[in-house]
Tab-separated table of all heavy atoms in Angstrom:
chain	number	residue	atom	x	y	z
D	1	MET	N	0.869	-1.162	-0.022
D	1	MET	CA	0.043	0.017	0.035
D	1	MET	C	0.881	1.233	-0.008
D	1	MET	O	1.805	1.329	0.832
D	1	MET	CB	-0.922	-0.041	1.211
D	1	MET	CG	-1.900	1.081	1.309
D	1	MET	SD	-3.004	1.023	2.694
D	1	MET	CE	-4.215	-0.147	2.204
D	2	SER	N	0.617	2.178	-0.892
D	2	SER	CA	1.472	3.380	-0.991
D	2	SER	C	1.103	4.312	0.201
D	2	SER	O	0.069	4.159	0.842
D	2	SER	CB	1.212	4.084	-2.307
D	2	SER	OG	-0.004	4.676	-2.311
D	3	GLU	N	2.017	5.254	0.416
D	3	GLU	CA	1.770	6.275	1.469
D	3	GLU	C	0.415	7.018	1.236
D	3	GLU	O	-0.324	7.277	2.144
D	3	GLU	CB	2.924	7.221	1.655
D	3	GLU	CG	4.125	6.664	2.222
D	3	GLU	CD	5.176	7.691	2.372
D	3	GLU	OE1	4.904	8.752	2.974
D	3	GLU	OE2	6.278	7.521	1.894
D	4	GLN	N	0.196	7.307	-0.035
D	4	GLN	CA	-1.037	8.026	-0.363
D	4	GLN	C	-2.251	7.092	-0.134
D	4	GLN	O	-3.296	7.616	0.414
D	4	GLN	CB	-0.943	8.462	-1.847
D	4	GLN	CG	-2.131	9.358	-2.247
D	4	GLN	CD	-1.974	9.882	-3.669
D	4	GLN	OE1	-1.004	9.540	-4.383
D	4	GLN	NE2	-2.862	10.705	-4.107
D	5	ASP	N	-2.155	5.869	-0.475
D	5	ASP	CA	-3.300	4.968	-0.266
D	5	ASP	C	-3.520	4.780	1.248
D	5	ASP	O	-4.676	4.763	1.689
D	5	ASP	CB	-2.989	3.592	-0.862
D	5	ASP	CG	-2.953	3.568	-2.352
D	5	ASP	OD1	-3.524	4.487	-2.987
D	5	ASP	OD2	-2.356	2.633	-2.919
D	6	LEU	N	-2.461	4.686	2.017
D	6	LEU	CA	-2.562	4.515	3.424
D	6	LEU	C	-3.213	5.776	4.042
D	6	LEU	O	-4.121	5.694	4.891
D	6	LEU	CB	-1.176	4.293	4.086
D	6	LEU	CG	-1.160	3.908	5.522
D	6	LEU	CD1	-2.084	2.719	5.835
D	6	LEU	CD2	0.238	3.551	5.924
D	7	ALA	N	-2.774	6.940	3.639
D	7	ALA	CA	-3.345	8.238	4.163
D	7	ALA	C	-4.866	8.276	3.813
D	7	ALA	O	-5.676	8.684	4.655
D	7	ALA	CB	-2.641	9.436	3.594
D	8	GLU	N	-5.224	7.913	2.582
D	8	GLU	CA	-6.653	7.936	2.206
D	8	GLU	C	-7.444	6.906	3.023
D	8	GLU	O	-8.568	7.183	3.396
D	8	GLU	CB	-6.800	7.716	0.664
D	8	GLU	CG	-8.193	7.616	0.234
D	8	GLU	CD	-8.998	8.905	0.410
D	8	GLU	OE1	-8.439	9.956	0.676
D	8	GLU	OE2	-10.282	8.844	0.245
D	9	ALA	N	-6.861	5.730	3.219
D	9	ALA	CA	-7.570	4.720	3.953
D	9	ALA	C	-7.792	5.164	5.403
D	9	ALA	O	-8.869	5.004	6.008
D	9	ALA	CB	-6.815	3.389	3.967
D	10	LEU	N	-6.774	5.833	5.951
D	10	LEU	CA	-6.873	6.350	7.339
D	10	LEU	C	-7.961	7.453	7.426
D	10	LEU	O	-8.751	7.501	8.374
D	10	LEU	CB	-5.543	6.909	7.810
D	10	LEU	CG	-5.440	7.332	9.228
D	10	LEU	CD1	-5.818	6.256	10.216
D	10	LEU	CD2	-4.005	7.836	9.504
D	11	ARG	N	-8.035	8.272	6.361
D	11	ARG	CA	-9.083	9.340	6.362
D	11	ARG	C	-10.425	8.715	6.295
D	11	ARG	O	-11.344	9.108	7.020
D	11	ARG	CB	-8.866	10.242	5.122
D	11	ARG	CG	-9.841	11.420	5.097
D	11	ARG	CD	-9.941	12.037	3.755
D	11	ARG	NE	-10.510	11.221	2.747
D	11	ARG	CZ	-11.830	10.901	2.668
D	11	ARG	NH1	-12.670	11.380	3.506
D	11	ARG	NH2	-12.253	10.088	1.672
D	12	VAL	N	-10.625	7.672	5.482
D	12	VAL	CA	-11.922	7.032	5.411
D	12	VAL	C	-12.263	6.387	6.725
D	12	VAL	O	-13.422	6.457	7.160
D	12	VAL	CB	-11.922	6.048	4.229
D	12	VAL	CG1	-13.193	5.158	4.240
D	12	VAL	CG2	-11.855	6.756	2.866
D	13	ALA	N	-11.287	5.688	7.271
D	13	ALA	CA	-11.583	5.024	8.597
D	13	ALA	C	-11.915	6.041	9.653
D	13	ALA	O	-12.761	5.752	10.495
D	13	ALA	CB	-10.297	4.208	8.967
D	14	ALA	N	-11.286	7.219	9.620
D	14	ALA	CA	-11.607	8.254	10.604
D	14	ALA	C	-13.095	8.717	10.431
D	14	ALA	O	-13.841	8.860	11.396
D	14	ALA	CB	-10.681	9.396	10.438
D	15	GLU	N	-13.424	8.860	9.177
D	15	GLU	CA	-14.815	9.310	8.885
D	15	GLU	C	-15.797	8.251	9.403
D	15	GLU	O	-16.863	8.564	9.944
D	15	GLU	CB	-14.970	9.505	7.351
D	15	GLU	CG	-16.288	10.101	6.948
D	15	GLU	CD	-16.316	10.394	5.473
D	15	GLU	OE1	-15.262	10.775	4.841
D	15	GLU	OE2	-17.385	10.222	4.837
D	16	LEU	N	-15.476	6.999	9.100
D	16	LEU	CA	-16.381	5.891	9.539
D	16	LEU	C	-16.400	5.816	11.090
D	16	LEU	O	-17.478	5.568	11.685
D	16	LEU	CB	-15.895	4.550	8.969
D	16	LEU	CG	-16.100	4.446	7.453
D	16	LEU	CD1	-15.393	3.168	6.921
D	16	LEU	CD2	-17.587	4.384	7.055
D	17	LEU	N	-15.270	5.963	11.718
D	17	LEU	CA	-15.225	5.888	13.137
D	17	LEU	C	-16.100	6.914	13.816
D	17	LEU	O	-16.710	6.684	14.865
D	17	LEU	CB	-13.758	5.991	13.610
D	17	LEU	CG	-13.505	6.011	15.166
D	17	LEU	CD1	-14.079	4.721	15.734
D	17	LEU	CD2	-12.033	6.183	15.444
D	18	ILE	N	-16.076	8.125	13.263
D	18	ILE	CA	-16.897	9.182	13.815
D	18	ILE	C	-18.347	8.775	13.766
D	18	ILE	O	-19.163	9.121	14.696
D	18	ILE	CB	-16.671	10.522	13.040
D	18	ILE	CG1	-15.247	11.046	13.332
D	18	ILE	CG2	-17.750	11.526	13.386
D	18	ILE	CD1	-14.828	12.174	12.417
D	19	GLN	N	-18.722	8.037	12.770
D	19	GLN	CA	-20.155	7.613	12.644
D	19	GLN	C	-20.500	6.391	13.461
D	19	GLN	O	-21.648	6.261	13.943
D	19	GLN	CB	-20.480	7.272	11.166
D	19	GLN	CG	-20.365	8.472	10.281
D	19	GLN	CD	-20.511	8.140	8.819
D	19	GLN	OE1	-20.992	7.124	8.490
D	19	GLN	NE2	-20.019	9.019	7.957
D	20	ASP	N	-19.494	5.494	13.704
D	20	ASP	CA	-19.724	4.198	14.431
D	20	ASP	C	-18.439	3.707	15.027
D	20	ASP	O	-17.477	3.457	14.347
D	20	ASP	CB	-20.356	3.216	13.436
D	20	ASP	CG	-20.831	1.941	14.146
D	20	ASP	OD1	-20.479	1.688	15.289
D	20	ASP	OD2	-21.629	1.246	13.502
D	21	PRO	N	-18.426	3.586	16.346
D	21	PRO	CA	-17.198	3.096	17.008
D	21	PRO	C	-16.762	1.640	16.624
D	21	PRO	O	-15.630	1.282	16.968
D	21	PRO	CB	-17.506	3.205	18.500
D	21	PRO	CG	-18.881	3.744	18.618
D	21	PRO	CD	-19.492	3.887	17.240
D	22	VAL	N	-17.570	0.950	15.922
D	22	VAL	CA	-17.210	-0.421	15.532
D	22	VAL	C	-15.966	-0.361	14.626
D	22	VAL	O	-15.255	-1.397	14.520
D	22	VAL	CB	-18.383	-1.093	14.826
D	22	VAL	CG1	-18.654	-0.528	13.467
D	22	VAL	CG2	-18.142	-2.597	14.766
D	23	TYR	N	-15.690	0.778	14.042
D	23	TYR	CA	-14.471	0.943	13.184
D	23	TYR	C	-13.203	1.250	13.889
D	23	TYR	O	-12.149	1.400	13.239
D	23	TYR	CB	-14.803	1.980	12.089
D	23	TYR	CG	-15.917	1.556	11.166
D	23	TYR	CD1	-17.183	2.114	11.300
D	23	TYR	CD2	-15.675	0.609	10.126
D	23	TYR	CE1	-18.173	1.661	10.430
D	23	TYR	CE2	-16.714	0.230	9.258
D	23	TYR	CZ	-17.970	0.737	9.455
D	23	TYR	OH	-18.939	0.312	8.616
D	24	LEU	N	-13.257	1.345	15.186
D	24	LEU	CA	-12.067	1.659	15.942
D	24	LEU	C	-10.856	0.718	15.670
D	24	LEU	O	-9.749	1.201	15.459
D	24	LEU	CB	-12.409	1.673	17.493
D	24	LEU	CG	-11.181	2.011	18.395
D	24	LEU	CD1	-10.636	3.371	18.073
D	24	LEU	CD2	-11.643	1.938	19.825
D	25	PRO	N	-11.041	-0.626	15.669
D	25	PRO	CA	-9.881	-1.459	15.433
D	25	PRO	C	-9.250	-1.194	14.035
D	25	PRO	O	-8.023	-1.220	13.887
D	25	PRO	CB	-10.460	-2.894	15.476
D	25	PRO	CG	-11.712	-2.768	16.263
D	25	PRO	CD	-12.224	-1.385	15.968
D	26	ILE	N	-10.034	-0.946	13.002
D	26	ILE	CA	-9.506	-0.654	11.692
D	26	ILE	C	-8.716	0.589	11.721
D	26	ILE	O	-7.611	0.728	11.169
D	26	ILE	CB	-10.670	-0.621	10.645
D	26	ILE	CG1	-11.347	-2.035	10.562
D	26	ILE	CG2	-10.113	-0.165	9.285
D	26	ILE	CD1	-12.598	-2.087	9.817
D	27	PHE	N	-9.357	1.691	12.336
D	27	PHE	CA	-8.656	2.940	12.468
D	27	PHE	C	-7.328	2.831	13.158
D	27	PHE	O	-6.329	3.368	12.674
D	27	PHE	CB	-9.609	3.938	13.160
D	27	PHE	CG	-8.985	5.282	13.341
D	27	PHE	CD1	-8.982	6.187	12.329
D	27	PHE	CD2	-8.372	5.614	14.546
D	27	PHE	CE1	-8.375	7.508	12.519
D	27	PHE	CE2	-7.826	6.829	14.770
D	27	PHE	CZ	-7.817	7.805	13.706
D	28	GLU	N	-7.334	2.163	14.253
D	28	GLU	CA	-6.079	2.002	15.043
D	28	GLU	C	-5.010	1.221	14.253
D	28	GLU	O	-3.854	1.537	14.309
D	28	GLU	CB	-6.373	1.304	16.349
D	28	GLU	CG	-7.114	2.279	17.309
D	28	GLU	CD	-7.427	1.630	18.638
D	28	GLU	OE1	-7.598	0.399	18.712
D	28	GLU	OE2	-7.584	2.399	19.619
D	29	ARG	N	-5.454	0.175	13.541
D	29	ARG	CA	-4.443	-0.568	12.760
D	29	ARG	C	-3.885	0.310	11.645
D	29	ARG	O	-2.640	0.331	11.411
D	29	ARG	CB	-5.117	-1.797	12.106
D	29	ARG	CG	-4.095	-2.534	11.278
D	29	ARG	CD	-4.522	-3.870	10.859
D	29	ARG	NE	-3.406	-4.435	10.033
D	29	ARG	CZ	-3.573	-5.526	9.377
D	29	ARG	NH1	-4.653	-6.242	9.436
D	29	ARG	NH2	-2.550	-5.972	8.618
D	30	LEU	N	-4.709	1.072	10.927
D	30	LEU	CA	-4.181	1.964	9.884
D	30	LEU	C	-3.307	3.028	10.503
D	30	LEU	O	-2.295	3.408	9.852
D	30	LEU	CB	-5.345	2.553	9.149
D	30	LEU	CG	-6.145	1.628	8.261
D	30	LEU	CD1	-7.422	2.287	7.773
D	30	LEU	CD2	-5.269	1.156	7.035
D	31	GLU	N	-3.630	3.542	11.630
D	31	GLU	CA	-2.837	4.503	12.281
D	31	GLU	C	-1.425	3.948	12.611
D	31	GLU	O	-0.413	4.599	12.413
D	31	GLU	CB	-3.529	4.924	13.637
D	31	GLU	CG	-3.508	6.341	13.937
D	31	GLU	CD	-4.271	6.699	15.209
D	31	GLU	OE1	-4.562	5.786	15.961
D	31	GLU	OE2	-4.536	7.865	15.370
D	32	ARG	N	-1.423	2.665	13.148
D	32	ARG	CA	-0.124	2.011	13.470
D	32	ARG	C	0.657	1.802	12.206
D	32	ARG	O	1.925	2.041	12.177
D	32	ARG	CB	-0.337	0.683	14.170
D	32	ARG	CG	-0.745	0.813	15.618
D	32	ARG	CD	-0.675	-0.554	16.295
D	32	ARG	NE	-1.469	-1.630	15.693
D	32	ARG	CZ	-2.772	-1.857	15.863
D	32	ARG	NH1	-3.454	-1.116	16.762
D	32	ARG	NH2	-3.392	-2.856	15.278
D	33	GLU	N	0.070	1.390	11.153
D	33	GLU	CA	0.773	1.232	9.855
D	33	GLU	C	1.307	2.500	9.301
D	33	GLU	O	2.405	2.495	8.805
D	33	GLU	CB	-0.185	0.544	8.815
D	33	GLU	CG	-0.474	-0.921	9.128
D	33	GLU	CD	-1.322	-1.548	8.093
D	33	GLU	OE1	-1.324	-1.124	6.888
D	33	GLU	OE2	-2.035	-2.564	8.412
D	34	LYS	N	0.560	3.564	9.467
D	34	LYS	CA	1.053	4.863	9.007
D	34	LYS	C	2.267	5.328	9.816
D	34	LYS	O	3.283	5.774	9.342
D	34	LYS	CB	-0.022	5.967	9.028
D	34	LYS	CG	0.500	7.284	8.469
D	34	LYS	CD	-0.612	8.250	8.232
D	34	LYS	CE	-0.142	9.526	7.630
D	34	LYS	NZ	1.200	9.997	7.890
D	35	MET	N	2.163	5.125	11.158
D	35	MET	CA	3.289	5.501	12.037
D	35	MET	C	4.499	4.691	11.657
D	35	MET	O	5.683	5.214	11.631
D	35	MET	CB	2.928	5.379	13.482
D	35	MET	CG	2.031	6.431	13.971
D	35	MET	SD	1.734	6.416	15.791
D	35	MET	CE	0.615	5.067	15.926
D	36	LEU	N	4.361	3.369	11.388
D	36	LEU	CA	5.463	2.539	11.084
D	36	LEU	C	6.070	3.030	9.771
D	36	LEU	O	7.289	3.077	9.622
D	36	LEU	CB	5.044	1.072	10.972
D	36	LEU	CG	6.061	0.102	10.513
D	36	LEU	CD1	7.268	0.069	11.473
D	36	LEU	CD2	5.481	-1.272	10.394
D	37	ALA	N	5.263	3.310	8.765
D	37	ALA	CA	5.791	3.763	7.453
D	37	ALA	C	6.527	5.059	7.632
D	37	ALA	O	7.606	5.275	7.077
D	37	ALA	CB	4.600	3.939	6.457
D	38	ASP	N	6.003	5.941	8.487
D	38	ASP	CA	6.643	7.300	8.748
D	38	ASP	C	8.051	7.035	9.391
D	38	ASP	O	9.006	7.664	8.946
D	38	ASP	CB	5.751	8.166	9.623
D	38	ASP	CG	4.544	8.712	8.896
D	38	ASP	OD1	4.432	8.601	7.680
D	38	ASP	OD2	3.616	9.134	9.631
D	39	ARG	N	8.059	6.124	10.396
D	39	ARG	CA	9.361	5.853	11.076
D	39	ARG	C	10.369	5.282	10.066
D	39	ARG	O	11.503	5.571	10.123
D	39	ARG	CB	9.130	4.961	12.228
D	39	ARG	CG	8.594	5.636	13.444
D	39	ARG	CD	8.738	4.806	14.705
D	39	ARG	NE	8.390	3.440	14.591
D	39	ARG	CZ	7.246	2.864	15.062
D	39	ARG	NH1	6.384	3.650	15.703
D	39	ARG	NH2	7.008	1.618	14.872
D	40	GLN	N	9.870	4.400	9.187
D	40	GLN	CA	10.796	3.777	8.271
D	40	GLN	C	11.321	4.830	7.251
D	40	GLN	O	12.529	4.855	6.923
D	40	GLN	CB	10.069	2.673	7.440
D	40	GLN	CG	9.858	1.443	8.345
D	40	GLN	CD	8.970	0.430	7.670
D	40	GLN	OE1	8.303	0.668	6.709
D	40	GLN	NE2	9.045	-0.783	8.178
D	41	ASN	N	10.488	5.701	6.829
D	41	ASN	CA	10.873	6.742	5.887
D	41	ASN	C	11.858	7.691	6.577
D	41	ASN	O	12.847	8.137	5.969
D	41	ASN	CB	9.713	7.564	5.396
D	41	ASN	CG	8.842	6.738	4.421
D	41	ASN	OD1	9.392	5.827	3.732
D	41	ASN	ND2	7.603	7.052	4.273
D	42	GLU	N	11.637	7.998	7.833
D	42	GLU	CA	12.554	8.857	8.605
D	42	GLU	C	13.903	8.214	8.786
D	42	GLU	O	14.929	8.857	8.673
D	42	GLU	CB	11.938	9.188	9.969
D	42	GLU	CG	10.747	10.138	9.891
D	42	GLU	CD	9.973	10.283	11.155
D	42	GLU	OE1	10.408	9.609	12.174
D	42	GLU	OE2	8.951	10.911	11.188
D	43	ALA	N	13.926	6.905	8.981
D	43	ALA	CA	15.226	6.111	9.120
D	43	ALA	C	15.978	6.150	7.800
D	43	ALA	O	17.189	6.406	7.847
D	43	ALA	CB	14.914	4.725	9.557
D	44	VAL	N	15.262	6.024	6.712
D	44	VAL	CA	15.938	6.088	5.396
D	44	VAL	C	16.457	7.444	5.216
D	44	VAL	O	17.624	7.640	4.701
D	44	VAL	CB	14.923	5.664	4.247
D	44	VAL	CG1	15.557	5.964	2.886
D	44	VAL	CG2	14.615	4.226	4.375
D	45	ASP	N	15.780	8.477	5.538
D	45	ASP	CA	16.225	9.851	5.435
D	45	ASP	C	17.452	10.106	6.238
D	45	ASP	O	18.422	10.716	5.801
D	45	ASP	CB	15.117	10.930	5.806
D	45	ASP	CG	14.043	10.924	4.798
D	45	ASP	OD1	14.150	10.490	3.628
D	45	ASP	OD2	12.914	11.471	5.184
D	46	ARG	N	17.485	9.602	7.441
D	46	ARG	CA	18.685	9.706	8.341
D	46	ARG	C	19.891	8.942	7.710
D	46	ARG	O	20.974	9.527	7.744
D	46	ARG	CB	18.337	9.150	9.768
D	46	ARG	CG	17.418	10.105	10.495
D	46	ARG	CD	17.354	9.695	12.003
D	46	ARG	NE	17.119	8.294	12.286
D	46	ARG	CZ	15.938	7.716	12.335
D	46	ARG	NH1	14.805	8.420	12.195
D	46	ARG	NH2	15.837	6.416	12.635
D	47	ALA	N	19.650	7.796	7.233
D	47	ALA	CA	20.703	7.024	6.597
D	47	ALA	C	21.287	7.772	5.393
D	47	ALA	O	22.511	7.854	5.166
D	47	ALA	CB	20.201	5.682	6.122
D	48	ARG	N	20.405	8.361	4.574
D	48	ARG	CA	20.854	9.220	3.436
D	48	ARG	C	21.724	10.339	3.874
D	48	ARG	O	22.723	10.672	3.313
D	48	ARG	CB	19.743	9.642	2.602
D	48	ARG	CG	19.105	8.569	1.815
D	48	ARG	CD	18.005	9.127	0.851
D	48	ARG	NE	17.475	8.034	0.026
D	48	ARG	CZ	16.215	7.754	-0.108
D	48	ARG	NH1	15.281	8.494	0.522
D	48	ARG	NH2	15.822	6.729	-0.845
D	49	ALA	N	21.294	10.992	4.998
D	49	ALA	CA	22.092	12.109	5.529
D	49	ALA	C	23.440	11.650	5.990
D	49	ALA	O	24.465	12.376	5.732
D	49	ALA	CB	21.278	12.776	6.653
D	50	ILE	N	23.456	10.531	6.656
D	50	ILE	CA	24.779	10.015	7.104
D	50	ILE	C	25.670	9.731	5.919
D	50	ILE	O	26.861	10.086	5.919
D	50	ILE	CB	24.601	8.764	7.934
D	50	ILE	CG1	23.917	9.136	9.322
D	50	ILE	CG2	25.870	7.993	8.154
D	50	ILE	CD1	23.447	7.929	10.114
D	51	MET	N	25.175	9.097	4.873
D	51	MET	CA	25.877	8.814	3.658
D	51	MET	C	26.345	10.078	2.965
D	51	MET	O	27.489	10.127	2.463
D	51	MET	CB	25.102	8.001	2.741
D	51	MET	CG	24.820	6.504	3.289
D	51	MET	SD	26.313	5.655	3.826
D	51	MET	CE	27.214	5.513	2.313
D	52	ALA	N	25.530	11.099	2.961
D	52	ALA	CA	25.937	12.318	2.301
D	52	ALA	C	27.077	12.951	3.087
D	52	ALA	O	28.046	13.484	2.488
D	52	ALA	CB	24.750	13.342	2.270
D	53	ILE	N	27.024	12.975	4.410
D	53	ILE	CA	28.103	13.495	5.223
D	53	ILE	C	29.428	12.725	4.973
D	53	ILE	O	30.458	13.284	4.762
D	53	ILE	CB	27.713	13.529	6.725
D	53	ILE	CG1	26.619	14.556	7.001
D	53	ILE	CG2	28.935	13.755	7.576
D	53	ILE	CD1	26.006	14.411	8.316
D	54	HIS	N	29.244	11.360	4.967
D	54	HIS	CA	30.415	10.529	4.764
D	54	HIS	C	31.042	10.778	3.369
D	54	HIS	O	32.248	10.778	3.221
D	54	HIS	CB	30.001	9.067	4.891
D	54	HIS	CG	31.134	8.120	4.794
D	54	HIS	ND1	31.654	7.616	3.612
D	54	HIS	CD2	31.897	7.528	5.765
D	54	HIS	CE1	32.651	6.824	3.788
D	54	HIS	NE2	32.824	6.729	5.124
D	55	SER	N	30.179	10.927	2.357
D	55	SER	CA	30.664	11.170	0.994
D	55	SER	C	31.356	12.497	0.908
D	55	SER	O	32.397	12.665	0.188
D	55	SER	CB	29.526	11.131	0.029
D	55	SER	OG	28.980	9.833	-0.068
D	56	ALA	N	30.888	13.458	1.627
D	56	ALA	CA	31.482	14.844	1.653
D	56	ALA	C	32.808	14.887	2.290
D	56	ALA	O	33.730	15.582	1.878
D	56	ALA	CB	30.596	15.862	2.282
D	57	ILE	N	32.977	14.001	3.302
D	57	ILE	CA	34.268	13.956	4.041
D	57	ILE	C	35.300	13.168	3.199
D	57	ILE	O	36.471	13.519	3.259
D	57	ILE	CB	34.076	13.269	5.408
D	57	ILE	CG1	33.212	14.149	6.289
D	57	ILE	CG2	35.380	12.962	6.076
D	57	ILE	CD1	32.802	13.496	7.608
D	58	SER	N	34.887	12.178	2.508
D	58	SER	CA	35.831	11.322	1.759
D	58	SER	C	36.355	11.987	0.587
D	58	SER	O	35.995	12.772	-0.119
D	58	SER	CB	35.104	10.012	1.364
D	58	SER	OG	34.690	9.341	2.511
């Protein structure tokens, strides 16, 4: 699932949750998946920054 798809699914789940609490587990799962994807992207960004610094020094 792409980041855009995940964000849209989370938006839809939020809308459904507001209407009916039965959607809470789906909303929470999508929220966790988005947080995990965000953390992974941040780690890749940090790794790129480290490599850029290393390349500049070498």
Side-chain angles (χ1 to χ4, degrees):
M1 183 178 280
S2 73
E3 285 184 56
Q4 186 175 3
D5 291 339
L6 188 53
E8 177 62 14
L10 186 56
R11 185 198 65 76
V12 170
E15 188 176 324
L16 292 169
L17 176 59
I18 290 169
Q19 296 173 20
D20 189 340
V22 72
Y23 294 102
L24 179 61
I26 296 168
F27 177 81
E28 289 179 331
R29 178 168 179 188
L30 289 167
E31 223 178 14
R32 283 191 307 271
E33 288 184 25
K34 183 168 183 333
M35 285 189 284
L36 177 60
D38 289 345
R39 282 197 314 256
Q40 288 172 342
N41 289 335
E42 290 167 4
V44 170
D45 290 343
R46 290 191 310 273
R48 285 187 178 128
I50 290 169
M51 293 307 298
I53 290 168
H54 184 275
S55 294
I57 294 172
S58 299

